[in-house]
Amino acid sequence: MNAHAHWLLEHADPSDAAAVAKAIQAALKSGLAAQAVPIGEAGTARHPHDPRLWHLLGLAYRGAEDLQQAIEGLDRAAVLAPADPAIAHAAARSRLEAGLPAIDAFEHAHALAPDDGGIRQGLAAALFAEGRLDDAIRMLEAQLGAEPGWMEGHATLARLRWMRGERDSFVASYETALVRDPGNLALWRALVETLMHAELYEPALAAVGRARAGMGDHPMLDALETVSLAEKGETDAADGAFARLGPIEHVTMATRYMRHLLRAGRPVEAAAFAEPWIARDPGHLLVPYLSAAWRLTGDRRWAWLEGDPRFVGVYDIGDRLPSLDALAVRLRGLHLALHHPLEQSLRGGTQTDGPLFSRIEPEIRALRDIIVETVERHVAQLPSPRPGHPLLIARRAPIGFAGSWSVRLTGEGFHINHVHPAGWISSAFYVALPDGLGGDEHAGWLTLGEATELGLELPPIRLIEPKPGRLVLFPSTMWHGTRPFPAGERLTVAFDVARPPQ
C-alpha cells in the first residue's frame, strides 16, 4: 500500500483533479500526510474552486500537524461547500486540535449532521477544552438517554466522569443502558473493559456474572473473566480459565497470557510461549514481556533487544527554547482535569487532552520544532537495521508523532511502569521540577527496564535524573516509569514518535 501511495504521489498530474484526490487519499491511508502536501498545493493552485481538493489538502496539513495551514485549507473548502458535513467536521476538529475555540464550529457541523456521533464527541471535547466539563457531561448524558446503544458516547462519558473524580458512578451510563437492554453483548463487553481499564477487577468480574445472568454464556464473557482473574493475580483460577479458552489465536490475548505467566513467576514458560509468536506480532505487543522473560532467565537475547546504550538518548535542550518558564505557564493552563485520565499510567496528577504538538501557540510550536530536530539526531546515531528488531527498522523518516501530551504530577505522584505499544520511540521532556529530587530512593527519577507493575524483581536497566530542559528518548517497547517524589510539581511533556511506514 505504501509503495502504491508513493507511486500515485509521484505520478499525479496537478491538472487532473481526480488523480490528485486519489493520490492524497492513498497517502493519508498510508500515513504519508506530509508527503501529500506538495501535490495538494499544486492541485488546489490548478483547481482553486474544487472543495474536495481543499478538503484533502487540509487533511494532509492536519496529518502533518500543521494546523494553521489545515484550518486555512478547510475554511476555503467550507466556503466552496458550506453544506458539506465532512468538511465542517474536519474544520471544527482542526480548530480544537490547534487549541482554538471550537464549540461554535462543532455546533455548526452538528446542525449539518445531527446523527454523526463523531461530531458529538468532538463537541464534548471542545466543551471540555474551554473549561465546560459539566456541560460536556450533560450533553452526552442527554444524547445517551435518547440513543443508549451509542458505544463511543458511553466511552467518552465514562472518561470525562472519571477525570471529574467520579469513582463510583463513572460507568453509570452503561448500567442505565443495560437495564433497558440486558442482552446487549457489546454493552456488557464495553462495561467490563472500562472497569478493567480502571483496574477495578472485582467489579469487572461481578459484571461478567451479571452479564451471564442477563444473556447466558458467551465466549467473549469467558475471555473477559479470564483476563480479569489474571490481572487480579488469582493464579490458579486464571490458569484454569485460560485452559478452558483453548488455543490462543489472537496476539492481544497472547499478550494477556504473557502477563499472567510472568506475574505467576513462570518466565521460562513465558519465553517458550512468546517466541513462536514473534512473526505474528507486527505491532510488537509481546516484545516488552519477552524482554522481561529473557532477563529473568538470563537469556542474553535481551541485550540484543534492549541493551545497546545508543538506544537511550539524553539531550539537554532547554537553552534552545525561548523560555522554559513561558512554556510551563502555557502547559499549566491546559491541565483542566481534576484527576488522572482513565487507562493512563500516571498517578497523583493530570494529563492534557488532545495532541499537544498540534497546537499553534508559539511556545508549543517552538518546542515541537526543536524536538523534531533532536529526534532526528537521535535516530541518526542508532545502529544499522536489524531484521525483526522493533527499534532498528529500515525506514526511519519522516519523523511524526503517534501522540503528544503534558503530564503534571504533584506530591507523591508517579508513573507506574508501562510501555507504549502505539509508538516507536517514547520520551520524557522535563519543564519544571520540585526541589529535593534524588536521594537514595532516586525520588522523581525516570526508570528504564523495571516491570514492577507485574511484580517482577528486575533492576532498572538505567536510572535517569530529571533536569529542566532535559529530553530523554528510549524505545517505546521498553518498560519505563517514575519514582514517587514527596512534594511539589513535576511538569513534563511526553510523546510517542510514530513508526515510519516501512
PDB file of all heavy atoms in Angstrom, residues 4-19:
ATOM      1  N   HIS A   4       2.395   1.824  -3.424  1.00  0.00           N
ATOM      2  CA  HIS A   4       1.363   2.327  -4.344  1.00  0.00           C
ATOM      3  C   HIS A   4       1.081   3.794  -4.091  1.00  0.00           C
ATOM      4  O   HIS A   4       0.948   4.597  -5.039  1.00  0.00           O
ATOM      5  CB  HIS A   4       0.099   1.496  -4.172  1.00  0.00           C
ATOM      6  CG  HIS A   4      -1.027   1.908  -5.072  1.00  0.00           C
ATOM      7  ND1 HIS A   4      -0.942   1.868  -6.443  1.00  0.00           N
ATOM      8  CD2 HIS A   4      -2.280   2.390  -4.782  1.00  0.00           C
ATOM      9  CE1 HIS A   4      -2.077   2.292  -6.969  1.00  0.00           C
ATOM     10  NE2 HIS A   4      -2.893   2.623  -5.987  1.00  0.00           N
ATOM     11  N   ALA A   5       0.996   4.177  -2.810  1.00  0.00           N
ATOM     12  CA  ALA A   5       0.738   5.582  -2.485  1.00  0.00           C
ATOM     13  C   ALA A   5       1.886   6.461  -2.959  1.00  0.00           C
ATOM     14  O   ALA A   5       1.657   7.553  -3.511  1.00  0.00           O
ATOM     15  CB  ALA A   5       0.534   5.738  -0.978  1.00  0.00           C
ATOM     16  N   HIS A   6       3.124   6.017  -2.750  1.00  0.00           N
ATOM     17  CA  HIS A   6       4.270   6.781  -3.242  1.00  0.00           C
ATOM     18  C   HIS A   6       4.193   6.950  -4.759  1.00  0.00           C
ATOM     19  O   HIS A   6       4.468   8.042  -5.289  1.00  0.00           O
ATOM     20  CB  HIS A   6       5.576   6.079  -2.863  1.00  0.00           C
ATOM     21  CG  HIS A   6       6.030   6.340  -1.455  1.00  0.00           C
ATOM     22  ND1 HIS A   6       6.455   7.572  -1.039  1.00  0.00           N
ATOM     23  CD2 HIS A   6       6.121   5.516  -0.373  1.00  0.00           C
ATOM     24  CE1 HIS A   6       6.799   7.514   0.241  1.00  0.00           C
ATOM     25  NE2 HIS A   6       6.606   6.279   0.663  1.00  0.00           N
ATOM     26  N   TRP A   7       3.834   5.885  -5.463  1.00  0.00           N
ATOM     27  CA  TRP A   7       3.748   5.942  -6.916  1.00  0.00           C
ATOM     28  C   TRP A   7       2.695   6.948  -7.351  1.00  0.00           C
ATOM     29  O   TRP A   7       2.926   7.759  -8.262  1.00  0.00           O
ATOM     30  CB  TRP A   7       3.426   4.558  -7.479  1.00  0.00           C
ATOM     31  CG  TRP A   7       3.534   4.484  -8.977  1.00  0.00           C
ATOM     32  CD1 TRP A   7       4.620   4.122  -9.719  1.00  0.00           C
ATOM     33  CD2 TRP A   7       2.490   4.808  -9.918  1.00  0.00           C
ATOM     34  NE1 TRP A   7       4.343   4.200 -11.062  1.00  0.00           N
ATOM     35  CE2 TRP A   7       3.047   4.614 -11.221  1.00  0.00           C
ATOM     36  CE3 TRP A   7       1.176   5.229  -9.801  1.00  0.00           C
ATOM     37  CZ2 TRP A   7       2.306   4.832 -12.373  1.00  0.00           C
ATOM     38  CZ3 TRP A   7       0.438   5.462 -10.961  1.00  0.00           C
ATOM     39  CH2 TRP A   7       0.990   5.258 -12.224  1.00  0.00           C
ATOM     40  N   LEU A   8       1.528   6.913  -6.682  1.00  0.00           N
ATOM     41  CA  LEU A   8       0.467   7.846  -7.034  1.00  0.00           C
ATOM     42  C   LEU A   8       0.898   9.288  -6.794  1.00  0.00           C
ATOM     43  O   LEU A   8       0.601  10.183  -7.604  1.00  0.00           O
ATOM     44  CB  LEU A   8      -0.796   7.529  -6.236  1.00  0.00           C
ATOM     45  CG  LEU A   8      -1.541   6.249  -6.611  1.00  0.00           C
ATOM     46  CD1 LEU A   8      -2.665   5.986  -5.620  1.00  0.00           C
ATOM     47  CD2 LEU A   8      -2.104   6.337  -8.030  1.00  0.00           C
ATOM     48  N   LEU A   9       1.588   9.546  -5.678  1.00  0.00           N
ATOM     49  CA  LEU A   9       2.042  10.902  -5.387  1.00  0.00           C
ATOM     50  C   LEU A   9       3.038  11.386  -6.439  1.00  0.00           C
ATOM     51  O   LEU A   9       3.015  12.548  -6.853  1.00  0.00           O
ATOM     52  CB  LEU A   9       2.688  10.947  -3.999  1.00  0.00           C
ATOM     53  CG  LEU A   9       1.741  10.819  -2.800  1.00  0.00           C
ATOM     54  CD1 LEU A   9       2.540  10.692  -1.516  1.00  0.00           C
ATOM     55  CD2 LEU A   9       0.785  12.004  -2.715  1.00  0.00           C
ATOM     56  N   GLU A  10       3.919  10.484  -6.858  1.00  0.00           N
ATOM     57  CA  GLU A  10       4.944  10.873  -7.826  1.00  0.00           C
ATOM     58  C   GLU A  10       4.379  11.105  -9.223  1.00  0.00           C
ATOM     59  O   GLU A  10       4.916  11.919  -9.990  1.00  0.00           O
ATOM     60  CB  GLU A  10       6.031   9.791  -7.887  1.00  0.00           C
ATOM     61  CG  GLU A  10       6.859   9.699  -6.608  1.00  0.00           C
ATOM     62  CD  GLU A  10       7.782   8.506  -6.619  1.00  0.00           C
ATOM     63  OE1 GLU A  10       7.817   7.776  -7.638  1.00  0.00           O
ATOM     64  OE2 GLU A  10       8.471   8.277  -5.595  1.00  0.00           O
ATOM     65  N   HIS A  11       3.316  10.394  -9.560  1.00  0.00           N
ATOM     66  CA  HIS A  11       2.831  10.429 -10.934  1.00  0.00           C
ATOM     67  C   HIS A  11       1.531  11.216 -11.118  1.00  0.00           C
ATOM     68  O   HIS A  11       1.037  11.336 -12.247  1.00  0.00           O
ATOM     69  CB  HIS A  11       2.626   9.000 -11.457  1.00  0.00           C
ATOM     70  CG  HIS A  11       3.911   8.251 -11.630  1.00  0.00           C
ATOM     71  ND1 HIS A  11       4.508   7.574 -10.601  1.00  0.00           N
ATOM     72  CD2 HIS A  11       4.716   8.088 -12.711  1.00  0.00           C
ATOM     73  CE1 HIS A  11       5.628   7.016 -11.031  1.00  0.00           C
ATOM     74  NE2 HIS A  11       5.784   7.309 -12.302  1.00  0.00           N
ATOM     75  N   ALA A  12       0.964  11.744 -10.025  1.00  0.00           N
ATOM     76  CA  ALA A  12      -0.276  12.514 -10.179  1.00  0.00           C
ATOM     77  C   ALA A  12      -0.011  13.812 -10.946  1.00  0.00           C
ATOM     78  O   ALA A  12       0.916  14.563 -10.631  1.00  0.00           O
ATOM     79  CB  ALA A  12      -0.872  12.822  -8.802  1.00  0.00           C
ATOM     80  N   ASP A  13      -0.833  14.073 -11.928  1.00  0.00           N
ATOM     81  CA  ASP A  13      -0.744  15.290 -12.726  1.00  0.00           C
ATOM     82  C   ASP A  13      -1.598  16.361 -12.047  1.00  0.00           C
ATOM     83  O   ASP A  13      -2.816  16.186 -11.897  1.00  0.00           O
ATOM     84  CB  ASP A  13      -1.254  15.008 -14.136  1.00  0.00           C
ATOM     85  CG  ASP A  13      -1.188  16.233 -15.037  1.00  0.00           C
ATOM     86  OD1 ASP A  13      -0.844  17.329 -14.549  1.00  0.00           O
ATOM     87  OD2 ASP A  13      -1.495  16.086 -16.234  1.00  0.00           O
ATOM     88  N   PRO A  14      -1.005  17.488 -11.621  1.00  0.00           N
ATOM     89  CA  PRO A  14      -1.795  18.517 -10.922  1.00  0.00           C
ATOM     90  C   PRO A  14      -2.982  19.023 -11.727  1.00  0.00           C
ATOM     91  O   PRO A  14      -3.946  19.544 -11.149  1.00  0.00           O
ATOM     92  CB  PRO A  14      -0.773  19.629 -10.662  1.00  0.00           C
ATOM     93  CG  PRO A  14       0.548  18.936 -10.660  1.00  0.00           C
ATOM     94  CD  PRO A  14       0.419  17.832 -11.672  1.00  0.00           C
ATOM     95  N   SER A  15      -2.928  18.877 -13.051  1.00  0.00           N
ATOM     96  CA  SER A  15      -4.062  19.345 -13.852  1.00  0.00           C
ATOM     97  C   SER A  15      -5.245  18.386 -13.794  1.00  0.00           C
ATOM     98  O   SER A  15      -6.349  18.739 -14.207  1.00  0.00           O
ATOM     99  CB  SER A  15      -3.626  19.528 -15.309  1.00  0.00           C
ATOM    100  OG  SER A  15      -3.298  18.279 -15.901  1.00  0.00           O
ATOM    101  N   ASP A  16      -5.032  17.179 -13.282  1.00  0.00           N
ATOM    102  CA  ASP A  16      -6.074  16.158 -13.189  1.00  0.00           C
ATOM    103  C   ASP A  16      -6.559  16.095 -11.735  1.00  0.00           C
ATOM    104  O   ASP A  16      -5.926  15.477 -10.884  1.00  0.00           O
ATOM    105  CB  ASP A  16      -5.508  14.806 -13.626  1.00  0.00           C
ATOM    106  CG  ASP A  16      -6.563  13.710 -13.680  1.00  0.00           C
ATOM    107  OD1 ASP A  16      -7.634  13.875 -13.063  1.00  0.00           O
ATOM    108  OD2 ASP A  16      -6.293  12.667 -14.305  1.00  0.00           O
ATOM    109  N   ALA A  17      -7.667  16.769 -11.454  1.00  0.00           N
ATOM    110  CA  ALA A  17      -8.157  16.861 -10.074  1.00  0.00           C
ATOM    111  C   ALA A  17      -8.451  15.486  -9.489  1.00  0.00           C
ATOM    112  O   ALA A  17      -8.180  15.233  -8.305  1.00  0.00           O
ATOM    113  CB  ALA A  17      -9.416  17.732 -10.024  1.00  0.00           C
ATOM    114  N   ALA A  18      -9.004  14.592 -10.288  1.00  0.00           N
ATOM    115  CA  ALA A  18      -9.325  13.250  -9.784  1.00  0.00           C
ATOM    116  C   ALA A  18      -8.055  12.497  -9.397  1.00  0.00           C
ATOM    117  O   ALA A  18      -8.022  11.790  -8.373  1.00  0.00           O
ATOM    118  CB  ALA A  18     -10.111  12.471 -10.833  1.00  0.00           C
ATOM    119  N   ALA A  19      -6.992  12.630 -10.194  1.00  0.00           N
ATOM    120  CA  ALA A  19      -5.733  11.948  -9.882  1.00  0.00           C
ATOM    121  C   ALA A  19      -5.108  12.513  -8.611  1.00  0.00           C
ATOM    122  O   ALA A  19      -4.556  11.765  -7.792  1.00  0.00           O
ATOM    123  CB  ALA A  19      -4.771  12.075 -11.055  1.00  0.00           C
TER     124      ALA A  19
END
